[in-house]
Amino acid sequence: MAATSSAALFSVLPLHLPTATPASARAGSSHYRPTRSAAAVSPIRCSAASPDLSPGAPAPAPPKPQIELEFVGPKPGADGSYPVDRAAAVSGDKLLRDVMVENKIELYAAYGKLMNCGGGGSCGTCIVEIIDGKELLSPRTDAENRYLKKKPESWRLTCQTIVGNKENSGKVVVQRLPQWKK
């Protein structure tokens, strides 16, 4: 079930409870039938607890900015279009590699599955190309500068790239590179 606020579950609606019918009116009846006289019905109101708005209470935390990610596959499908996987991450919280692994997005080719460094920035098997949204990622690290010094600026190591900076939000498009290009 989707996350729903308690206010949505218990919205302020009057609840009318029937009043009991006197025993004399029920004597000849085989079924109990409550009466609904307007004077006898009293509304009961249910509502969720309201937030503490006293001067000393901390303000509720604003929602954290999100970075939307699109991962374009390295090879076109049978129809000629490239497959696209989508994911989202809180800005500034995760490495690009972690987002891909958590969302089961293929990162490594055959060689990389066996011989990757596990996120140390020393093997180069997790290289991707940033097509759009480069400004939403962390700057290149020293490890990236050493390993990618002769590669285009748009190429990044996913194990060294932090998605966002805790303040920005937007969309990043990532091209997964075929093994022969790395």
Side-chain angles (χ1 to χ4, degrees):
M1 181 163 101
T4 317
S5 70
S6 57
L9 292 175
F10 299 105
S11 60
V12 180
L13 295 174
L15 176 64
H16 298 284
L17 297 176
T19 57
T21 307
S24 60
R26 290 184 296 197
S29 174
S30 61
H31 298 298
Y32 170 71
R33 294 185 188 181
T35 61
R36 289 189 160 245
S37 69
V41 177
S42 61
I44 299 174
R45 297 193 179 269
C46 298
S47 66
S50 62
D52 185 12
L53 299 177
S54 60
K64 294 183 178 181
Q66 291 278 324
I67 303 288
E68 301 296 321
L69 298 151
E70 285 189 2
F71 298 94
V72 180
K75 294 186 264 183
D79 63 351
S81 65
Y82 286 83
V84 176
D85 293 306
R86 290 178 174 79
V90 174
S91 182
D93 277 2
K94 294 190 177 188
L95 292 170
L96 191 54
R97 177 185 187 272
D98 295 340
V99 172
M100 293 179 78
V101 169
E102 288 173 7
N103 289 284
K104 296 178 177 45
I105 297 171
E106 192 70 37
L107 173 59
Y108 301 110
Y111 172 78
K113 288 178 185 175
L114 300 172
M115 303 301 290
N116 73 74
C117 65
S122 60
C123 70
T125 58
C126 66
I127 295 175
V128 295
E129 183 174 9
I130 308 302
I131 304 297
D132 192 23
K134 184 173 107 171
E135 67 281 355
L136 298 173
L137 303 174
S138 63
R140 273 190 175 186
T141 63
D142 290 339
E144 285 180 290
N145 286 332
R146 265 192 318 275
Y147 196 83
L148 302 173
K149 62 183 163 193
K150 294 184 180 179
K151 304 289 184 188
E153 278 295 311
S154 60
W155 287 25
R156 298 294 304 268
L157 296 176
T158 62
C159 67
Q160 300 293 303
T161 305
I162 298 172
V163 178
N165 66 6
K166 295 195 183 284
E167 296 174 3
N168 57 8
S169 61
K171 181 178 176 181
V172 177
V173 180
V174 179
Q175 169 79 50
R176 294 178 284 159
L177 298 174
Q179 187 63 38
W180 58 269
K181 257 190 157 178
K182 295 178 182 180

